[in-house]
Amino acid sequence: MAAVVVFDAEVMCREERIPAQFVWPAEERPPAAAADGVAGGGGEEIEIPVVDIAAFLNGGGEIPAGLAEACERHGFFQVVGHGVDPTLIAEAYRCCDAFYARPLAEKQRAARRPGESYGYASSFTGRFKSKLPWKETLSFHCPGAAAAAAPGKKMSAVADYFVGVLGKDYRHMGEVYQEYCDEMTRLALDVTEVLAATLGLADRGELRGFFAGGDSTMRLNYYPPCRQPHLTLGTGPHRDPTSLTLLHQDGVGGLQVRAGGGADEWRAVRPRADAFVVNIGDTFAALTGGRHASCLHRAVVSGGAARRSLTFFLNPQLDRVVRPPEALLLADGGTPRAYPDFTWREFLEFTQRHYRSDESTLDAFMSWVAGGRGGDGKQ
């Protein structure tokens, strides 16, 4: 039996030839690396709506031009006017750099265990045998305010996690990400009001309640430089199984989107320091009865620079039933629903135990539900 490859970023970024487990099939690879060192040279850029969320929240619900169409076509846009302090974002990146600069053995103190959705992962070595992503991740839960031990108690779950698994020297890092998660929770809930307006819901706060006290997740992504960036991917094509994703990417670039969600070419997303990328995930698509599209995206890697991104996934409570609001069901006029009821816990466990998230995760999950929730899905 072949030995499990160890993805030590400090070592891997110097390898002239990457291990076979990280080589993707020719039809799925990015174009050959361009002169600037980024796979595909960043590619042709996508034009997507930019929402000034402060203006929207203060303007009585006006929908930015093109947003409704974008939500229906590819589920992807950006928000500015978000009110997140730039110094907090900068400190979040500084802490990200500090964590990934630590020796592999130290990072592995927070190692992600089989079946869990949080912890440190050096690629997916040990879980999958091929098409491994060229990246490291650290994921941790960001429980909503309703999960606080007492009314008015300041949330500390994120800070406690860092200290508990990595040690007291990580307290500042944990406090930074606690504040960052609190800001992302606020912003994500504000974004649900924008999306409620695109759906024509009379109460733009109707979707906000669905996520009250949710079990959201934060992920720090690190994509080391790669000597053969045209042979691999930082993250393969997939749709997020979560509800909404809020992403801040550094200036290196690498995020790409399928503009039409299908056979269209991949389009690059130019980084904006003042903006958060928002993409709709599978659970939110189901919550809208299929009206909004789950975003198909991937990440390419650079031959000359490391890339980092800060990713927040908005989720409901684990046992919250995913079902469209009654106003949307009534608007359907009794036509068959696109998706049956399910809980976020069921979908999350499906992705951790049965199925590797890709472009067909929600369809595979629906087939699994229809089959009685038994057996394993494709890995």
Side-chain angles (χ1 to χ4, degrees):
M1 181 180 295
V4 175
V5 65
V6 176
F7 188 79
D8 186 337
E10 186 177 357
V11 174
M12 287 291 195
C13 69
R14 297 195 296 266
E15 294 290 336
E16 292 292 339
R17 297 182 64 86
I18 65 177
Q21 294 94 327
F22 293 89
V23 176
W24 284 63
E27 65 274 14
E28 298 183 55
R29 297 176 198 165
D36 62 3
V38 177
E44 185 176 343
E45 294 182 359
I46 185 174
E47 293 185 9
I48 54 175
V50 177
V51 180
D52 185 333
I53 195 164
F56 172 84
L57 294 175
N58 294 325
E62 183 178 350
I63 303 173
L67 180 59
E69 180 185 356
C71 290
E72 294 168 2
R73 185 181 177 203
H74 50 66
F76 190 82
F77 57 98
Q78 296 192 79
V79 293
V80 296
H82 43 70
V84 181
D85 190 339
T87 61
L88 174 60
I89 298 173
E91 185 65 7
Y93 275 118
R94 193 197 69 77
C95 289
C96 180
D97 292 339
F99 176 78
Y100 286 116
R102 303 294 171 91
L104 179 62
E106 185 171 342
K107 292 180 285 191
Q108 286 179 329
R109 294 196 332 230
R112 181 174 178 172
R113 289 178 252 181
E116 292 182 339
S117 58
Y118 59 91
Y120 168 76
S122 52
S123 187
F124 283 151
T125 60
R127 184 179 179 193
F128 303 118
K129 298 179 180 178
S130 64
K131 298 199 300 186
L132 298 182
W134 192 265
K135 68 177 178 179
E136 296 178 274
T137 60
L138 177 65
S139 306
F140 43 93
H141 289 308
C142 309
K153 179 179 173 62
K154 186 176 180 179
M155 293 297 295
S156 63
V158 174
D160 293 345
Y161 170 78
F162 273 80
V163 173
V165 300
L166 291 167
K168 62 182 182 180
D169 291 343
Y170 284 81
R171 178 169 297 281
H172 172 72
M173 192 176 292
E175 290 173 347
V176 169
Y177 289 123
Q178 181 71 67
E179 183 179 357
Y180 189 89
C181 286
D182 291 345
E183 282 290 87
M184 290 301 98
T185 300
R186 171 193 62 78
L187 178 57
L189 292 176
D190 286 345
V191 169
T192 66
E193 295 198 17
V194 177
L195 295 175
T198 68
L199 292 165
L201 294 172
D203 178 7
R204 73 182 195 188
E206 186 164 356
L207 299 177
R208 179 184 285 267
F210 176 79
F211 296 99
D215 186 53
S216 297
T217 303
M218 181 74 199
R219 179 171 297 157
L220 313 178
N221 297 303
Y222 178 73
Y223 304 88
C226 180
R227 296 290 182 90
Q228 295 181 303
H230 59 289
L231 297 182
T232 191
L233 286 169
T235 304
H238 70 289
R239 293 180 171 89
D240 294 337
T242 48
S243 293
L244 294 179
T245 302
L246 272 61
L247 170 78
H248 195 282
Q249 57 176 339
D250 67 9
V252 175
L255 175 63
Q256 296 184 339
V257 176
R258 271 274 177 83
D264 296 322
E265 293 182 2
W266 291 98
R267 298 284 189 265
V269 181
R270 178 181 290 275
R272 285 187 55 160
D274 65 336
F276 285 91
V277 174
V278 179
N279 71 258
I280 292 169
D282 287 340
T283 298
F284 197 89
L287 181 65
T288 68
R291 288 170 173 80
H292 283 179
S294 185
C295 176
L296 182 59
H297 56 290
R298 70 179 186 182
V300 299
V301 295
S302 169
R307 175 180 180 255
R308 311 102 79 222
S309 64
L310 309 172
T311 312
F312 177 84
F313 301 100
L314 180 68
N315 300 317
Q317 294 180 18
L318 286 171
D319 293 318
R320 179 83 60 168
V321 175
V322 180
R323 176 184 175 85
E326 287 301 318
L328 295 184
L329 293 177
L330 290 173
D332 286 338
T335 58
R337 288 177 52 192
Y339 306 102
D341 290 351
F342 62 90
T343 66
W344 166 235
R345 183 192 299 276
E346 289 179 304
F347 197 15
L348 175 62
E349 291 183 353
F350 177 76
T351 64
Q352 300 306 309
R353 300 179 182 179
H354 301 298
Y355 195 90
R356 178 176 179 170
S357 294
D358 60 18
E359 62 269 27
S360 303
T361 307
L362 184 57
D363 290 338
F365 176 65
M366 289 299 119
S367 296
W368 183 74
V369 170
R373 294 174 167 86
D376 287 346
K378 180 189 71 175
Q379 284 287 348

